[in-house]
Amino acid sequence: MKRREVVPGIAWVGAEDWDRRLFDALIPLPDGTSYNAYLVSGRERTALIDTVDPTKADVLWNHLAGVERIDDLVIQHVEQDHSGLAAAVLERYPAARVLATPKAQGLIADHLGIPAERVTAVADGETVALGGKTLQFIHAPWVHWPETMLTYVPEDRLLFTCDLFGSHLATSGLLASEVDDLEASAKRYYAEIMMPFAKTIRGHLEKVRKLDVRTIAPSHGPIHDKPATILAAYERWAGGAPENQVVIPYTSMHGSTAKMVERLTDALVARGVAAIPFNMAVTDLGAYAIRLVDAATVVFATPTVLVGPHPNVVLAAALTAALRPKLRHAVVIGSYGWAGKAPETIQTLAAGLSAEWLPPVFARGAPTRETFDALERLAETIANKHAGLKA
Ligand code: FEO
C-alpha cells in the first residue's frame, strides 16, 4: 500500500498485516492488524511518529523512499510492533533525534539497543516546532505500558494516540468512516489490551476531551475521523456500570460440568439475566474478553482433573483476573470425583478480581437433583444481585 495523506503535511506510512493471527502468543487476531506510522512534514523539520513491526520493514522503507531527512523520530511507545525498527531508522537517518518520555529512555535501551543518551526526553506538554506544524507531547502512562505518550498537532487538531483507541483490523479503509462495524474491532482491542487500565484511561479521556480533537490517529486500525464515536465508546467501556450479564467460562470432560452449565444458563435466562457460556476448549479468547467488558458476574465452571481445576479454566481464571474487568460477583461451579478443592484454587488464581465471591456449587460425581436445585438457587441469588442493572 502506498503512502496516504491524512491531512496536508501528514501522511500514513504504516503497514497492513492481513495474515497475522496471534499477538503476544495469546491474543487472537481474526481480522489481522495494522501498524500505523505517520510522517509529519513541516517547513523546517520532518518527524516520523513511530515505526512499524520489524516483519514489515520493507513496507516502511518503501514509504520513506525519497524522504531525504527525518529530524525527529518520535517513539510514543516502546513495544516492538511500533518501535522495533527505531534503530534501523536511525541507521538510515543518523542525524535524527529520538523523542520519548523520560520513562521510555531506559526501556528503549533495554528493548531496542539504543543508548539512553541517544534519546531526548520530552516533558509533558513540551512542544517541538516543525514549521507550520507543532508536535505537543502529552504523557499518558499505562496505555498500556508505563512510558506511553500521545502527540498532538494543534494546527490540524490531530492527535496521535499509539495503542489507545486502536483496533486490530487490517483494512483497505484508512478512515473509520470507511469501515463497517469498527466498534466491534475497537471493543475487542479495548477488552484485550486496555481494560486493565480503565481507571487511568478515564483520566486520559478527560485530557483528550479538552483538546477538542478533529482526528484521532492510533497506531493500529483505522483513523478516527469522527472521534466522538470512539470517545463515547471508551467512556462506556471504561466508565459505565456493568450490565445484567453473566459470563460462564467452562470446560467439561465427561459431561457433568456441561450439564451444570446448561442448567445454570437456562435458570439465569428464565430470570431475565443474559448468560453467555464459553467452552474454553475451543473459544476465541478475544470473544470471551469482549463479554467481560460489560458482564456483572463470572461463573467459572470446571471439572476436576489431576486433583485440581481443569487447565482450560485455570487459564480463564488467570486471564480474567489479569484483564481486571468491572465484575461485581464471581462463583465456581463444577464436579469432582474424590478431590474437591478446585473452587479454592480458582479463587486463589483470580484473587485480583474486586468481586464478591458467592458460595460454590461443586458436585461429587454426576449432577443430581440436589445439584440442579443448588444451581436454581444460585441463579436466583445472581438475579437478585443484578436487580437494577441494565440489559
Ligand atoms: Fe501495539 Fe503495545 O503495542
Side-chain angles (χ1 to χ4, degrees), residues 145-168:
W145 281 21
E147 88 299 10
T148 42
M149 70 175 184
L150 319 179
T151 306
Y152 187 52
V153 182
E155 291 85 354
D156 299 302
R157 287 168 48 206
L158 184 149
L159 184 66
F160 300 108
T161 57
C162 201
D163 278 340
L164 187 63
F165 307 124
S167 44
H168 282 311

Side-chain angles (χ1 to χ4, degrees), residues 246-252 254-271 273-279 299-302 333-334 361 367-368 371-376 378-379:
V246 175
V247 287
I248 311 175
Y250 79 95
T251 274
S252 191
H254 300 293
S256 295
T257 302
K259 282 181 192 154
M260 294 175 70
V261 168
E262 189 177 343
R263 182 58 173 261
L264 180 63
T265 300
D266 288 349
L268 287 165
V269 171
R271 289 167 174 82
V273 180
I276 308 111
F278 289 91
N279 181 342
V299 178
F300 298 106
T302 184
I333 68 170
V361 178
T368 61
T371 312
F372 291 132
D373 288 348
L375 292 170
E376 290 286 340
L378 175 59

Side-chain angles (χ1 to χ4, degrees), residues 1 26 57 95 104 133 152 157 173 185 194 223 234 250 268 300 310 332 354 367 379:
M1 202 170 276
L26 175 69
K133 303 259 187 229
Y152 187 52
R157 287 168 48 206
S185 296
M194 293 293 160
I223 294 166
Y234 262 66
Y250 79 95
L268 287 165
F300 298 106
H310 194 287
V332 181
S354 58

Side-chain angles (χ1 to χ4, degrees), residues 150-358:
L150 319 179
T151 306
Y152 187 52
V153 182
E155 291 85 354
D156 299 302
R157 287 168 48 206
L158 184 149
L159 184 66
F160 300 108
T161 57
C162 201
D163 278 340
L164 187 63
F165 307 124
S167 44
H168 282 311
L169 178 64
T171 171
S172 56
L174 180 68
L175 304 176
S177 59
E178 300 167 341
V179 175
D180 291 335
D181 202 17
L182 176 59
E183 188 162 312
S185 296
K187 187 172 187 179
R188 171 182 279 265
Y189 184 92
Y190 170 85
E192 293 165 337
I193 295 159
M194 293 293 160
M195 186 158 59
F197 309 103
K199 187 174 169 195
T200 309
I201 286 171
R202 291 198 292 274
H204 295 332
L205 286 174
E206 288 273 310
K207 281 190 189 176
V208 174
R209 282 276 184 212
K210 284 182 185 149
L211 293 174
D212 191 24
V213 297
R214 193 159 51 201
T215 305
I216 288 178
S219 293
H220 294 288
I223 294 166
H224 301 284
D225 50 336
K226 292 177 182 153
T229 306
I230 191 69
L231 290 173
Y234 262 66
E235 275 170 7
R236 281 199 314 280
W237 300 334
E243 297 179 3
N244 185 17
Q245 296 180 18
V246 175
V247 287
I248 311 175
Y250 79 95
T251 274
S252 191
M253 296 192 300
H254 300 293
S256 295
T257 302
K259 282 181 192 154
M260 294 175 70
V261 168
E262 189 177 343
R263 182 58 173 261
L264 180 63
T265 300
D266 288 349
L268 287 165
V269 171
R271 289 167 174 82
V273 180
I276 308 111
F278 289 91
N279 181 342
M280 299 308 289
V282 295
T283 201
D284 167 348
L285 291 178
Y288 172 63
I290 289 169
R291 288 295 184 172
L292 285 174
V293 173
D294 300 316
T297 296
V298 61
V299 178
F300 298 106
T302 184
T304 300
V305 56
L306 303 176
V307 307
H310 194 287
N312 290 343
V313 186
V314 167
L315 172 62
L319 182 65
T320 306
L323 293 176
R324 289 155 64 185
K326 50 195 170 195
L327 293 163
R328 290 185 179 170
H329 318 286
V331 63
V332 181
I333 68 170
S335 64
Y336 69 102
W338 51 89
K341 296 289 186 193
E344 287 94 321
T345 306
I346 292 291
Q347 197 163 335
T348 301
L349 286 166
L353 289 176
S354 58
E356 171 198 15
W357 286 87
L358 306 177

Side-chain angles (χ1 to χ4, degrees), residues 97-112:
R97 284 192 307 185
V98 179
L99 304 177
T101 62
K103 192 86 179 175
Q105 282 180 297
L107 290 168
I108 288 171
D110 292 342
H111 292 281
L112 309 178

